[in-house]
Amino acid sequence: MSSTYGEHLKLSIFGQSHAPAIGMTLDGIPAGLPVDLEALQAFLNRRAPGQNDYSTPRKEEDRPEFLSGVLNGFTCGAPLAAIIRNTNTRSGDYANLKDCPRPGHADYTAQVKYGGYQDTAGGGHFSGRLTAPLCIAGGLCKQWLEAKGIRVGAHIAAIAGIEDEAFDPRSPQLDDVAADFPVLKPEAGEKMREAVAEARMEQDSVGGIIECAVTGLPAGLGEPMFGGVEGRIAQIVYGIPAVKGVEFGMGFEAAKLRGSQNNDPFRMENGNVVTATNHCGGILGGITNGMPLLFRAAIKPTPSISQVQRSVSLSRGENQELIVKGRHDPCIVPRAVPVVEAAAAIAIFDLLLDSGWQK
Amino acid sequence: MSSTYGEHLKLSIFGQSHAPAIGMTLDGIPAGLPVDLEALQAFLNRRAPGQNDYSTPRKEEDRPEFLSGVLNGFTCGAPLAAIIRNTNTRSGDYANLKDCPRPGHADYTAQVKYGGYQDTAGGGHFSGRLTAPLCIAGGLCKQWLEAKGIRVGAHIAAIAGIEDEAFDPRSPQLDDVAADFPVLKPEAGEKMREAVAEARMEQDSVGGIIECAVTGLPAGLGEPMFGGVEGRIAQIVYGIPAVKGVEFGMGFEAAKLRGSQNNDPFRMENGNVVTATNHCGGILGGITNGMPLLFRAAIKPTPSISQVQRSVSLSRGENQELIVKGRHDPCIVPRAVPVVEAAAAIAIFDLLLDSGWQK
Amino acid sequence: MSSTYGEHLKLSIFGQSHAPAIGMTLDGIPAGLPVDLEALQAFLNRRAPGQNDYSTPRKEEDRPEFLSGVLNGFTCGAPLAAIIRNTNTRSGDYANLKDCPRPGHADYTAQVKYGGYQDTAGGGHFSGRLTAPLCIAGGLCKQWLEAKGIRVGAHIAAIAGIEDEAFDPRSPQLDDVAADFPVLKPEAGEKMREAVAEARMEQDSVGGIIECAVTGLPAGLGEPMFGGVEGRIAQIVYGIPAVKGVEFGMGFEAAKLRGSQNNDPFRMENGNVVTATNHCGGILGGITNGMPLLFRAAIKPTPSISQVQRSVSLSRGENQELIVKGRHDPCIVPRAVPVVEAAAAIAIFDLLLDSGWQK
Amino acid sequence: MSSTYGEHLKLSIFGQSHAPAIGMTLDGIPAGLPVDLEALQAFLNRRAPGQNDYSTPRKEEDRPEFLSGVLNGFTCGAPLAAIIRNTNTRSGDYANLKDCPRPGHADYTAQVKYGGYQDTAGGGHFSGRLTAPLCIAGGLCKQWLEAKGIRVGAHIAAIAGIEDEAFDPRSPQLDDVAADFPVLKPEAGEKMREAVAEARMEQDSVGGIIECAVTGLPAGLGEPMFGGVEGRIAQIVYGIPAVKGVEFGMGFEAAKLRGSQNNDPFRMENGNVVTATNHCGGILGGITNGMPLLFRAAIKPTPSISQVQRSVSLSRGENQELIVKGRHDPCIVPRAVPVVEAAAAIAIFDLLLDSGWQK
């Protein structure tokens, strides 16, 4: 059940970094939804590598081929399937990773779990590359949500401790996120880039935080307890490699507040029930309240660094030093921004379908 | 699908605060597991109200009645079902909550979702009281895990910003958690109690953070992507009312570190592969690495406070002030400690069953 | 995952024949659906034992207690839970069944699966008694379907090879099914009763076939392949003990026909698309076509017979004769009629919810 | 949730008859299982068209491309994905089927369900062609079962009412099934072929029955009620287009027997518990008893026939005659034999994984 998500829709992600292809199937989607391949490609390009100085050198565009489920530009009711061919050759020497696992990676846990049969090349099924099919599914869901007036947007809230301005919880500035380096405050972005560059110079890496907002949501989505919006979003966001924390609204900060500070007072505004603040991130009792949904995801620093690291030889049962070869993103946070959006869009679209939404 | 959890096991929670009963069914449990009712009761008592000065006055013991699935002290392979009778009368005037929702509660979202048919008495299905059946299931899972050498323990990491000592990530001090007020450092506990008492005096409430550790886990539990340990634990922990954040290992702090700081070096110790640090919280690639699993959950301050609050009249479409009656916990964090343990135990037991574990 | 059914709704059945109670939880039901307890009781009485000569002597009414999910006569959005207390004492000597399994029963397979921990008393979780909670859930679904103009009805198609008239596939005579002994042709019913009486006299039992029809269904329910209406109904109907065959429309007879005979021609009738015949039982490609849905379930003869039977002693590893004590239904088919209706109603209601139906 | 199957494994099938490709993903498979592509191809060839006189003229081999999940001849723990490219051009005029649905096909129900967005070309997602990816998954499961001593085999039990010999229920003659035309008795096969040829001459089609056996199964697989072996097999077998009935053991015949005839007496044989007969088809209480598992599936006659048929024009709301063009199998039963085996193998492998089986 590893790579399957959803209640009403069923997303299944497959592929390894150096397998013939990566891809996804998406079942349970209503027929007649438009599929804008150009907009999808633009979305996918946001996570593509090598677009600028802060990421690995670009190779080529990740261009999905749709194998099924789309006809004449619309979903046809059958499961969607799309793949992206891998063009990397299996030239690298990854065999060593089965014996000498990289710290911070899944090499060791995969070795234990799969007993040496796992595909280690490029990280195999654990590679960040698997977020590309997630973005295919999420990019489509995003389109379909937008057609209903629901927008999903994210920005870099922090890199290496340098913070961007936060979204206004009652009115997130989705239009103000910069296109090339997704922050609200260009100055903060500039400092972040410097921190990334500095880390690269020092053969090191940095992590960060992504803040995501969803606007235009109807109230009433989600179920109590284990079917709550928080849990369902958290489950898919934790499916993104390197995510180590997910919080909603004030999140961990709420733990320091008093009830009188944290409670969001209700009030009428233009005939609608709104809250004067939005500390809860748009969710009460696991159910959307019609205010913007807000959450943050913590991204750990890229574990692939070029410094000498301490590891072990599993075969010899002794300590061993390791140098990870190849070029790696010193910071994956910018590229992870659309991935977090994709995850949120999938979860929200699934919630909408659950609640009986029809095209 | 609201109140059902699990892949291999199926936990279903039912009941409302003032319904005849609350309870749970637990399907998919192997036969022949011992059920220690006395130990279970001791565990349930940890979340029971009214045990001391920081919670609501005690009424009576929550004593589960097992309706099925247990025979002569062992699971018999059939689904377990257990209920706790509610003794509260429906005397309170909760009808008003359908018109004037309490800030921070699910009153408004339930009204939108259920169209006025919801049971508002005592919070209905959204009541913290529903964590009692969660603790029945979790208390049993905890027993069964312990028989395999797997221990689950939690403590109050913070209340109102006052912090307890953290668990040692490589060797969590599960035995050092105080019995009555679950902290590691009594002085911190003392200050926390004062903060709670102060909040109560001011008709207010405070939140906090719970840290949970699981020791003795085998490496290799969990699946990649959406079946990862983080996502599965997060989903159930978010099923606990008032949780607004969940993080693993260093969590949001990891976002500030460099890769060279955050990566946990491997090393051999007594013939075993361990990590020199445990910033990842025992999980790499969604899969346990054999080190202690560590996570933290943020609990928002109790939304029920006695101060005058701003709300609206839904029927009249205008702002309205609200005073929430009754006595309420000014801080639910201490009582939530065993609930977090229960949630973790259920998720871990489910993961073990998934991985083919047999009695 | 043994006793849980449903995609959108989640039905969980628990209990053993001699456990304190049997019961069910039903999650995922919209709020605001009326619950008519009197009509439900009338439905439950149809499967109750001891109502006439062809079944075991009556003990008492199976009267469910609703523990949650119902408020003031309507569903409240929270999971429904209902139980029926067992009043049978555990006086019988069932221990022997662990060593000397009854032919045709689950005694042996339960012993292998549960290693001796299973509850054998009265058949434990495998007892036909577990169909009572199925009828609670199904009786409610039936009410809710009827309010939408969807009717579910069944009759005895055959007992001991004696056949009732079949339903008219285009216009099933739901109103013509006799109340006390559910057949269309009283003469056939009379002969069936005689066959049952004869079997009882000879310490034997007989089986039969139940035909079920659902009218008023919209076209378009169901999904292709594994989500088809046939598969989803079959899954729940096979959950009824003693069912060994399920067929839709012409079923196995269709295998003998030619395409030109079996294909149902379309035609317009009063502005609606209908089929001139209904050999497909209202399902094409796994999806309802708006014609009545028809299926048949084969019920094996009750395995509990009083004759000496050949079995084995598992402990001694040798052949052994067995006499099953107690009084048993020589034919469970009449009592299984409402159970089949219940199963169908649950499956159909789940399909409706899946397709986005709202109250 | 249309095209997804499994509890522990997750099979997802995608594609339309004239889409770029058809394929499947298979998640939840242990690492280290050998993948014999040659044996798989031989299995797939059994369902390929045009192999002899009784089916449509052969075009080319269906050769799957594995995109992921297999490395160096073994499963690597990541989801398997495989596709088969469609080489049919979309030249045919299928647009008409949206207005004038073919009797016995899913054209009408798809039109209602998908509102005209469905892919009608070649039957779209409802095409029998989708059984090819089912056979990829099933062919692999079959290999893995065989390595554990579990064999799955099927034969044509009947075509057009002409019956083959039945499997010996206690010792199915899997090795005696003919390779080219899968029957036990060549004379019966000869007559069946004649009946098929005759139907073709008369622009008609015939249906039939497939009997499937599984040997070498351990006792104890399956769960009570909705998780029973019958229901789980029935669900996947009903996923095969044209199946209208599924029965286990004696099935509908059991309904005519007495308990004393139908009950399978237990006895010891070489130290093992066996049954003297096998009327139950190897399943008691939904759980395997260690005897061969036996079931039969009814296949309706191919709905595609060349005769003039009565249909309607949906746009004009009036009756209309229809001639289905193209060449079609006058009988799909022989090609469906490996498909039924595939379905059974998948269900059994899933049951094995559920019960904690490890490589």
Side-chain angles (χ1 to χ4, degrees):
Chain A
M1 255 74 86
S2 54
S3 303
T4 305
Y5 177 83
E7 289 288 325
H8 197 97
L9 62 77
K10 288 287 173 205
L11 170 66
S12 180
I13 298 225
F14 58 86
Q16 304 109 246
S17 190
H18 286 214
I22 54 176
M24 60 109 229
T25 64
L26 187 58
D27 198 357
I29 302 299
L33 297 175
V35 171
D36 183 337
L37 290 179
E38 215 167 312
L40 178 62
Q41 191 63 52
F43 180 71
L44 291 175
N45 289 346
R46 288 176 53 199
R47 79 157 282 290
Q51 310 214 70
N52 29 39
D53 59 317
Y54 57 83
S55 66
T56 56
R58 179 163 207 171
K59 302 218 171 112
E60 69 199 88
E61 210 173 40
D62 273 338
R63 191 164 279 279
E65 179 192 6
F66 278 84
L67 299 178
S68 68
V70 181
L71 186 67
N72 303 325
F74 290 89
T75 58
C76 68
L80 284 86
I83 61 171
I84 297 172
R85 292 276 167 185
N86 286 323
T87 50
N88 287 325
T89 54
R90 200 173 289 273
S91 56
D93 178 13
Y94 290 98
N96 184 43
L97 300 182
K98 291 190 186 174
D99 188 45
C100 184
R102 292 169 296 175
H105 275 278
D107 299 335
Y108 174 64
T109 51
Q111 173 68 22
V112 172
K113 187 168 192 74
Y114 305 120
Y117 290 98
Q118 72 276 15
D119 185 356
T120 51
H125 189 58
F126 296 90
S127 167
R129 181 152 176 72
L130 271 290
T131 59
L134 188 71
C135 281
I136 298 175
L140 293 175
C141 289
K142 225 174 155 242
Q143 294 179 9
W144 300 328
L145 291 174
E146 272 163 23
K148 308 286 286 185
I150 299 170
R151 292 185 63 193
V152 179
H155 72 115
I156 304 172
I159 280 181
I162 300 157
E163 295 187 5
D164 189 23
E165 193 182 323
F167 276 142
D168 176 345
R170 297 186 75 241
S171 182
Q173 313 90 309
L174 300 186
D175 293 324
D176 298 351
V177 179
D180 63 331
F181 195 86
V183 289
L184 291 171
K185 277 171 54 185
E187 318 84 82
E190 202 46 54
K191 283 185 194 157
M192 291 176 190
R193 284 171 191 242
E194 285 165 19
V196 173
E198 199 177 331
R200 172 190 282 120
M201 296 285 285
E202 298 171 18
Q203 299 185 308
D204 215 332
S205 64
V206 289
I209 295 169
I210 292 170
E211 185 185 34
C212 184
V214 186
T215 63
L217 277 176
L221 294 186
E223 304 284 336
M225 301 204 77
F226 316 121
V229 175
E230 290 110 331
R232 286 171 69 161
I233 288 181
Q235 194 203 346
I236 190 166
V237 172
Y238 273 119
I240 304 169
V243 170
K244 296 302 280 187
V246 178
E247 62 180 358
F248 293 81
M250 292 292 280
F252 280 88
E253 281 304 304
K256 298 179 188 161
L257 299 181
R258 287 204 165 180
S260 59
Q261 298 168 306
N262 187 58
N263 281 355
D264 300 304
F266 289 107
R267 74 174 183 218
M268 299 303 303
E269 226 167 62
N270 305 320
N272 298 316
V273 177
V274 298
T275 58
T277 51
N278 186 14
H279 299 136
C280 71
I283 308 168
L284 287 171
I287 299 172
T288 57
N289 67 357
M291 297 294 289
L293 188 155
L294 284 144
F295 71 90
R296 289 158 36 106
I299 313 282
K300 73 178 184 184
T302 323
S304 294
I305 55 175
S306 313
Q307 298 177 22
V308 175
Q309 294 185 85
R310 285 176 288 152
S311 182
V312 292
S313 161
L314 296 175
S315 62
R316 283 179 288 115
E318 57 188 39
N319 296 338
Q320 181 177 314
E321 291 198 335
L322 172 74
I323 293 181
V324 179
K325 290 165 195 160
R327 292 195 62 179
H328 302 281
D329 274 7
C331 181
I332 59 161
V333 179
R335 290 178 57 199
V337 168
V339 180
V340 168
E341 292 178 7
I346 293 163
I348 296 293
F349 193 70
D350 191 29
L351 283 161
L352 270 175
L353 292 174
D354 267 5
S355 73
W357 174 79
Q358 305 275 304
K359 184 178 68 85
Chain B
M1 255 73 86
S2 54
S3 304
T4 306
Y5 177 84
E7 289 289 325
H8 197 97
L9 62 78
K10 288 288 173 203
L11 170 65
S12 180
I13 297 223
F14 59 86
Q16 302 110 246
S17 189
H18 287 211
I22 54 177
M24 62 108 229
T25 65
L26 187 58
D27 199 357
I29 301 299
L33 296 175
V35 171
D36 182 337
L37 291 178
E38 214 167 312
L40 177 62
Q41 191 62 52
F43 180 71
L44 291 175
N45 289 345
R46 287 176 53 200
R47 80 157 281 291
Q51 311 214 67
N52 29 40
D53 59 318
Y54 57 82
S55 66
T56 54
R58 181 162 206 169
K59 302 225 170 105
E60 69 200 88
E61 211 173 39
D62 273 338
R63 190 165 279 280
E65 178 192 8
F66 278 84
L67 299 177
S68 67
V70 181
L71 187 67
N72 302 327
F74 290 89
T75 58
C76 69
L80 284 86
I83 61 172
I84 297 172
R85 293 277 167 184
N86 286 323
T87 50
N88 286 325
T89 55
R90 200 174 289 273
S91 55
D93 179 13
Y94 289 98
N96 184 43
L97 301 181
K98 291 190 185 175
D99 188 45
C100 185
R102 292 170 295 173
H105 275 279
D107 299 335
Y108 173 66
T109 52
Q111 173 69 20
V112 171
K113 188 167 192 75
Y114 304 120
Y117 289 99
Q118 73 276 14
D119 184 357
T120 51
H125 189 58
F126 296 90
S127 168
R129 180 150 177 74
L130 271 290
T131 58
L134 187 72
C135 282
I136 298 175
L140 293 175
C141 289
K142 224 172 157 240
Q143 294 180 8
W144 301 328
L145 291 174
E146 272 163 24
K148 308 286 286 186
I150 299 169
R151 292 185 62 193
V152 180
H155 71 115
I156 305 172
I159 279 181
I162 300 156
E163 295 186 6
D164 189 22
E165 193 183 322
F167 275 143
D168 177 345
R170 297 185 76 243
S171 181
Q173 313 89 309
L174 300 186
D175 292 325
D176 298 351
V177 179
D180 62 334
F181 194 86
V183 289
L184 292 171
K185 277 172 53 186
E187 319 83 81
E190 201 47 53
K191 284 186 193 157
M192 291 176 191
R193 285 172 192 240
E194 284 165 17
V196 174
E198 200 177 330
R200 171 191 281 121
M201 296 285 286
E202 298 171 17
Q203 298 184 308
D204 215 332
S205 64
V206 289
I209 295 170
I210 292 169
E211 186 183 34
C212 183
V214 186
T215 62
L217 278 175
L221 293 187
E223 304 285 334
M225 301 204 78
F226 316 121
V229 175
E230 290 111 331
R232 286 171 71 161
I233 288 182
Q235 194 202 346
I236 191 166
V237 172
Y238 273 119
I240 304 170
V243 170
K244 296 300 281 186
V246 178
E247 62 181 359
F248 293 82
M250 291 292 281
F252 279 88
E253 282 304 303
K256 298 179 188 161
L257 299 181
R258 287 205 163 178
S260 59
Q261 298 169 305
N262 187 58
N263 281 355
D264 300 304
F266 288 107
R267 74 174 183 218
M268 298 304 302
E269 225 166 64
N270 304 321
N272 299 315
V273 177
V274 299
T275 57
T277 52
N278 186 15
H279 298 138
C280 72
I283 309 168
L284 287 171
I287 299 171
T288 56
N289 68 357
M291 297 293 290
L293 189 156
L294 284 143
F295 71 91
R296 288 159 36 107
I299 313 281
K300 73 178 185 183
T302 323
S304 295
I305 55 175
S306 313
Q307 297 177 22
V308 176
Q309 291 186 87
R310 284 176 288 153
S311 182
V312 293
S313 162
L314 296 175
S315 61
R316 283 179 287 115
E318 57 187 40
N319 296 338
Q320 181 177 313
E321 292 199 331
L322 172 74
I323 294 181
V324 179
K325 291 165 194 159
R327 293 195 61 179
H328 302 281
D329 274 7
C331 181
I332 59 160
V333 179
R335 290 179 56 200
V337 168
V339 180
V340 169
E341 292 177 8
I346 293 164
I348 295 293
F349 193 69
D350 191 29
L351 283 160
L352 270 176
L353 291 174
D354 266 5
S355 73
W357 175 78
Q358 306 273 305
K359 183 177 70 85
Chain C
M1 257 74 85
S2 56
S3 303
T4 304
Y5 177 84
E7 289 289 324
H8 197 98
L9 62 76
K10 288 288 173 206
L11 170 65
S12 180
I13 299 232
F14 58 86
Q16 302 111 246
S17 189
H18 287 213
I22 54 177
M24 61 109 229
T25 65
L26 187 58
D27 198 357
I29 301 299
L33 295 175
V35 172
D36 182 337
L37 291 179
E38 215 166 311
L40 178 63
Q41 190 63 53
F43 180 71
L44 291 175
N45 288 347
R46 287 176 54 199
R47 79 157 282 291
Q51 311 214 66
N52 29 40
D53 58 317
Y54 56 84
S55 66
T56 54
R58 182 163 206 170
K59 304 229 171 99
E60 69 200 270
E61 210 173 40
D62 273 339
R63 191 164 279 281
E65 179 192 8
F66 278 85
L67 299 177
S68 67
V70 181
L71 186 67
N72 302 327
F74 291 88
T75 58
C76 68
L80 284 86
I83 61 172
I84 297 172
R85 292 278 168 183
N86 287 322
T87 51
N88 287 325
T89 54
R90 202 174 287 274
S91 55
D93 178 13
Y94 290 97
N96 183 43
L97 300 181
K98 291 190 186 174
D99 188 45
C100 185
R102 292 170 295 174
H105 275 278
D107 299 335
Y108 173 65
T109 51
Q111 173 69 21
V112 171
K113 188 168 192 74
Y114 304 120
Y117 289 99
Q118 73 276 14
D119 185 356
T120 50
H125 189 57
F126 295 90
S127 168
R129 182 152 175 72
L130 271 290
T131 58
L134 187 71
C135 282
I136 298 175
L140 294 175
C141 290
K142 228 176 152 236
Q143 294 179 8
W144 301 328
L145 291 174
E146 273 164 22
K148 309 285 285 185
I150 299 169
R151 292 184 62 193
V152 179
H155 71 116
I156 304 171
I159 279 181
I162 301 158
E163 294 187 7
D164 190 21
E165 194 183 322
F167 275 142
D168 176 345
R170 297 185 74 241
S171 182
Q173 312 91 308
L174 300 186
D175 292 324
D176 298 351
V177 179
D180 62 331
F181 194 85
V183 288
L184 292 172
K185 275 171 54 185
E187 317 85 80
E190 201 47 52
K191 284 186 195 158
M192 291 176 189
R193 286 172 191 240
E194 285 164 18
V196 174
E198 200 176 331
R200 173 191 282 121
M201 296 285 285
E202 299 172 17
Q203 298 186 310
D204 215 331
S205 64
V206 288
I209 294 171
I210 292 170
E211 186 184 33
C212 183
V214 187
T215 62
L217 278 176
L221 293 186
E223 305 285 334
M225 300 204 79
F226 317 121
V229 175
E230 289 112 330
R232 286 170 71 161
I233 288 181
Q235 194 202 348
I236 191 166
V237 172
Y238 273 119
I240 304 170
V243 170
K244 295 302 281 188
V246 178
E247 61 181 359
F248 293 81
M250 291 292 282
F252 278 88
E253 282 304 303
K256 298 179 188 162
L257 299 181
R258 287 207 164 177
S260 59
Q261 298 168 305
N262 187 58
N263 280 355
D264 300 304
F266 288 107
R267 74 174 183 217
M268 299 302 304
E269 225 167 65
N270 304 322
N272 298 316
V273 177
V274 299
T275 56
T277 51
N278 187 15
H279 298 137
C280 72
I283 308 168
L284 287 171
I287 300 172
T288 56
N289 68 357
M291 296 295 289
L293 188 156
L294 285 143
F295 71 90
R296 289 158 36 106
I299 313 282
K300 73 178 183 183
T302 323
S304 294
I305 54 175
S306 312
Q307 298 177 22
V308 175
Q309 292 186 87
R310 285 176 289 153
S311 183
V312 293
S313 161
L314 297 174
S315 62
R316 283 179 289 116
E318 56 188 39
N319 295 338
Q320 182 176 315
E321 292 199 333
L322 172 73
I323 294 181
V324 178
K325 290 167 195 160
R327 293 195 61 178
H328 303 281
D329 274 7
C331 182
I332 58 160
V333 179
R335 291 178 56 199
V337 168
V339 180
V340 168
E341 292 177 9
I346 293 164
I348 296 294
F349 194 70
D350 191 28
L351 283 160
L352 271 175
L353 292 174
D354 266 5
S355 73
W357 176 78
Q358 304 276 303
K359 184 176 69 84
Chain D
M1 255 73 87
S2 55
S3 303
T4 305
Y5 177 83
E7 290 288 324
H8 197 99
L9 61 77
K10 288 287 173 205
L11 169 66
S12 180
I13 298 228
F14 58 86
Q16 303 110 248
S17 189
H18 288 212
I22 54 176
M24 61 107 231
T25 64
L26 188 58
D27 199 358
I29 302 299
L33 297 175
V35 172
D36 183 336
L37 290 179
E38 214 166 313
L40 178 63
Q41 191 63 54
F43 180 71
L44 291 175
N45 289 346
R46 287 176 54 198
R47 80 157 281 290
Q51 311 214 67
N52 29 41
D53 59 318
Y54 56 83
S55 66
T56 56
R58 179 163 207 168
K59 304 226 171 103
E60 68 199 90
E61 210 174 40
D62 274 339
R63 191 165 279 281
E65 180 193 6
F66 277 83
L67 299 177
S68 67
V70 181
L71 186 68
N72 303 327
F74 291 89
T75 58
C76 69
L80 284 86
I83 61 171
I84 297 172
R85 292 276 168 186
N86 287 323
T87 50
N88 287 324
T89 55
R90 202 173 288 272
S91 57
D93 179 11
Y94 290 98
N96 185 43
L97 300 181
K98 291 190 184 172
D99 189 44
C100 186
R102 291 171 296 174
H105 275 278
D107 299 335
Y108 173 66
T109 51
Q111 173 68 21
V112 171
K113 187 168 192 76
Y114 304 121
Y117 289 99
Q118 73 276 15
D119 185 355
T120 51
H125 189 58
F126 295 90
S127 168
R129 182 152 176 72
L130 270 290
T131 57
L134 187 71
C135 281
I136 299 175
L140 293 175
C141 289
K142 225 174 154 241
Q143 293 180 8
W144 301 328
L145 291 174
E146 272 163 23
K148 308 287 285 187
I150 299 170
R151 292 185 62 194
V152 180
H155 71 114
I156 305 172
I159 279 181
I162 300 157
E163 295 187 6
D164 189 23
E165 194 183 322
F167 276 142
D168 176 345
R170 297 186 74 241
S171 180
Q173 312 89 309
L174 300 186
D175 292 324
D176 297 350
V177 179
D180 63 332
F181 194 86
V183 289
L184 291 172
K185 277 171 54 186
E187 318 85 81
E190 202 46 55
K191 284 187 194 157
M192 291 176 190
R193 284 173 193 241
E194 285 164 19
V196 173
E198 199 177 330
R200 173 191 282 120
M201 295 285 285
E202 298 172 16
Q203 299 185 307
D204 215 331
S205 63
V206 289
I209 295 170
I210 292 169
E211 186 184 34
C212 184
V214 187
T215 61
L217 279 175
L221 293 187
E223 303 285 334
M225 300 204 81
F226 316 122
V229 175
E230 290 111 330
R232 286 171 71 161
I233 287 181
Q235 195 203 346
I236 191 166
V237 172
Y238 273 119
I240 304 170
V243 171
K244 296 302 282 187
V246 178
E247 62 180 0
F248 292 82
M250 291 293 280
F252 279 88
E253 281 304 302
K256 298 178 188 162
L257 299 181
R258 288 206 162 177
S260 58
Q261 297 168 305
N262 188 59
N263 281 354
D264 299 305
F266 289 107
R267 74 174 184 217
M268 297 304 302
E269 227 167 62
N270 305 321
N272 298 316
V273 177
V274 299
T275 56
T277 52
N278 187 15
H279 299 138
C280 71
I283 309 168
L284 287 172
I287 300 172
T288 57
N289 69 357
M291 295 295 289
L293 188 154
L294 284 144
F295 70 91
R296 288 158 35 107
I299 313 283
K300 73 177 183 184
T302 323
S304 294
I305 55 175
S306 312
Q307 298 177 21
V308 176
Q309 292 186 86
R310 286 176 287 153
S311 182
V312 293
S313 162
L314 296 174
S315 63
R316 284 180 287 116
E318 56 187 41
N319 295 338
Q320 182 177 314
E321 292 198 333
L322 172 74
I323 294 181
V324 178
K325 290 165 194 159
R327 292 195 62 179
H328 302 282
D329 274 9
C331 182
I332 58 161
V333 178
R335 291 178 56 199
V337 168
V339 180
V340 168
E341 291 177 9
I346 293 163
I348 296 294
F349 194 69
D350 191 29
L351 283 161
L352 269 175
L353 291 174
D354 267 6
S355 73
W357 175 78
Q358 305 274 303
K359 184 177 69 84

